[in-house]
Amino acid sequence: MMRWLVLAMIFALSVLNYADKSVLGLAAEPIMSHLHLNYDQFGLAGSSFFASYAIGSIILGTLTYRFHTKNLLILIASGWTVSLLSAYFVESFIGLIIIRVILGFFEGGTYGLCVAHIAKWFSNETRGSAYAIMTSGTTFGTYLAAPILVLLIGSVGWQHTFAVLGLVSLVWAVVFCFFKSQPNEPIQETIATLPSTQEAQFKDIIKILLNPYVLSVMAIGFVSMWINTWVLTWAPTYLTKIVGLDVQVMSIVFAGMGIAGTIFAIFIGRYTDVLFQKNKSLIKSYDKVLTVVLIIGAIAYGITTVVEAPILSVTFLAVGLIMNTCLLPLGTTIKTLIVPKNLIGSISGISLSITSMAGIIGPYITGYLITLAGDDIRSGFNSGVLIVVALYIISAVIILLTRKRKTTFTKNEKTITPVLVESVK
């Protein structure tokens, strides 16, 4: 029972995490009007968040090797509060950059800390579902929180809305203080030969990160981050200015996409868990599903660039975004199965810092393409979407080329080379 309560708290933190990220995009017009920003500057504000996000993911993620993840999670939630409440002091472009940089640093550690914390409470064969639930919080925060945030922004302004999110983060931190750091008894693994059941030295991190299969999983994270930042920064503008939806309808459409994405991601998480339990093979479970998701996503995003009817634009965009909700939990599960258990938080944090480069360059590139297109804003957005299509296709090819790499772990030498476990007897 306790592990599900812990998962519920991590889910809530994920909701807050992405609500904090998405509020910038939802408040784009009032912020740009208030601070007199152009598209390039606003895109840079979105990118600045992910610059510090990358730094925070390394520093806070690697701290899991020495400190309890519970205490680190409380720390980052408190950091969010400080950053968001500081919105009251923002009256310039530089001020906006500063609070987004602070928020980005503390949010950078969220993913690695949450992944490591859940790994303490759930076994290998159930992590697909657990991580799907955890990452569905990002979908809730991005999409389902939109109607509430839009209402708050319209009624009390963007600065008050930022502050409300900061106070909610503080409440979460206080409540989580009363939870245990880990289970009373270690979890029992039914598949004891996976790398995730072993431990390795901190110096082995470089070997793990340079493994081709781990790099391919990081590529998936890069693509997922690119889409997430596009959604957070530009999707509201795309739906209102290109598709032609008004703000309230846009928020409802956002919510609908979130509900569908959440349900589908949790279903896929459970489905891949069942496949893994049956086949004892990553290739025949998580890899197989991941490749199909990438192909479907690429097709859906590509079609959005050629259709003009609002219903078709929304439908195919929704299909693409729903596929994207599966990338993070699938990639996360694979990573936690091929990485030693004591390095999961560190590897997750470092890999996130690398994949977050997509968050740094993605929003700015899209903003640049829109500006470059001049009055033809649709053309600028379509160019950005075609980049996404290319990333999906490339990622699928990389997974197919690297998925048969194997892992070995020698206790005597205390070295590890992570690879895919094809079959566990």
Side-chain angles (χ1 to χ4, degrees):
M1 179 61 182
M2 177 56 67
R3 67 173 183 163
W4 293 108
L5 291 176
V6 170
L7 182 58
M9 287 296 292
I10 297 299
F11 170 82
L13 188 68
S14 297
V15 172
L16 287 173
N17 182 21
Y18 270 76
D20 294 345
K21 290 185 179 75
S22 64
V23 71
L24 181 71
L26 295 171
E29 293 189 19
I31 290 176
M32 293 174 71
S33 176
H34 181 190
L35 302 180
H36 308 291
L37 308 180
N38 57 35
Y39 284 114
D40 280 350
Q41 289 176 312
F42 188 73
L44 185 58
S47 296
S48 67
F49 172 92
F50 286 95
S52 62
Y53 189 89
I55 298 172
S57 64
I58 294 177
I59 296 176
L60 296 171
T62 53
L63 289 179
T64 60
Y65 190 74
R66 296 294 182 188
F67 300 97
H68 285 301
T69 49
K70 171 191 170 181
N71 297 334
L72 293 173
L73 287 167
I74 293 172
L75 171 66
I76 63 172
S78 301
W80 301 356
T81 299
V82 172
S83 171
L84 291 164
L85 288 177
S86 299
Y88 285 124
F89 304 101
V90 174
E91 292 297 335
S92 66
F93 172 59
I94 298 300
L96 180 64
I97 292 289
I98 290 174
I99 67 167
R100 294 302 289 181
V101 165
I102 295 173
L103 182 65
F105 177 82
F106 285 103
E107 290 209 347
T110 308
Y111 172 72
L113 298 180
C114 289
V115 168
H117 198 68
I118 287 179
K120 296 178 180 179
W121 292 87
F122 289 84
S123 66
N124 289 327
E125 291 185 319
T126 59
R127 285 182 191 166
S129 301
Y131 287 128
I133 293 173
M134 180 196 88
T135 57
S136 68
T138 67
T139 307
F140 267 78
T142 304
Y143 300 98
L144 299 185
I148 298 174
L149 294 176
V150 168
L151 180 62
L152 283 173
I153 293 167
S155 58
V156 302
W158 68 273
Q159 290 169 310
H160 288 307
T161 303
F162 276 45
V164 169
L165 290 172
L167 292 176
V168 175
S169 299
L170 180 60
V171 171
W172 185 95
V174 172
V175 173
F176 201 60
C177 287
F178 297 96
F179 279 71
K180 295 180 180 179
S181 297
Q182 58 189 28
N184 293 328
E185 299 292 336
I187 58 177
Q188 299 298 316
E189 300 289 1
T190 57
I191 305 178
T193 56
L194 286 170
S196 58
T197 63
Q198 311 292 328
E199 291 190 354
Q201 296 181 341
F202 191 78
K203 65 180 181 179
D204 295 318
I205 283 181
I206 300 300
K207 295 179 181 179
I208 297 173
L209 290 172
L210 293 179
N211 178 267
Y213 187 62
V214 174
L215 289 173
S216 70
V217 175
M218 290 169 58
I220 299 300
F222 183 91
V223 174
S224 177
M225 181 66 72
W226 187 290
I227 294 295
N228 285 338
T229 55
W230 184 89
V231 170
L232 294 168
T233 308
W234 295 112
T237 304
Y238 176 82
L239 290 173
T240 53
K241 291 188 176 295
I242 304 302
V243 180
L245 306 180
D246 63 43
V247 175
Q248 291 300 325
V249 173
M250 177 272 292
S251 65
I252 294 173
V253 168
F254 240 44
M257 292 179 181
I259 293 172
T262 298
I263 294 173
F264 188 74
I266 294 175
F267 168 77
I268 290 297
R270 179 55 186 161
Y271 175 66
T272 49
D273 276 347
V274 171
L275 287 178
F276 185 58
Q277 292 167 13
K278 177 182 178 181
N279 300 314
K280 304 295 188 287
S281 167
L282 289 177
I283 288 179
K284 296 178 181 179
S285 55
Y286 300 104
D287 271 12
K288 180 180 180 180
V289 174
L290 181 57
T291 304
V292 173
V293 164
L294 286 168
I295 293 172
I296 295 175
I299 294 172
Y301 287 125
I303 293 176
T304 62
T305 64
V306 296
V307 297
E308 295 186 1
I311 185 64
L312 293 178
S313 298
V314 170
T315 298
F316 286 105
L317 178 63
V319 172
L321 295 181
I322 288 170
M323 293 302 106
N324 192 65
T325 61
C326 300
L327 297 186
L328 185 57
L330 288 172
T332 298
T333 304
I334 293 172
K335 190 187 307 173
T336 62
L337 292 177
I338 62 176
V339 169
K341 60 183 179 181
N342 65 322
L343 295 179
I344 289 176
S346 300
I347 293 295
S348 297
I350 294 173
S351 63
L352 181 62
S353 71
I354 298 172
T355 59
S356 65
M357 294 299 105
I360 298 174
I361 64 177
Y364 181 75
I365 287 178
T366 300
Y368 174 77
L369 291 173
I370 295 172
T371 302
L372 190 65
D375 295 333
D376 190 5
I377 299 178
R378 174 182 286 274
S379 175
F381 270 107
N382 285 345
S383 297
V385 173
L386 289 175
I387 292 177
V388 172
V389 174
L391 290 173
Y392 265 61
I393 294 173
I394 293 171
S395 297
V397 172
I398 292 175
I399 284 288
L400 291 173
L401 292 176
T402 62
R403 64 182 186 170
K404 292 187 177 181
R405 303 301 290 266
K406 300 184 188 267
T407 73
T408 58
F409 179 65
T410 306
K411 292 184 178 180
N412 293 333
E413 298 177 356
K414 293 184 179 180
T415 59
I416 185 165
T417 305
V419 286
L420 176 62
V421 178
E422 284 191 82
S423 180
V424 182
K425 299 293 185 182

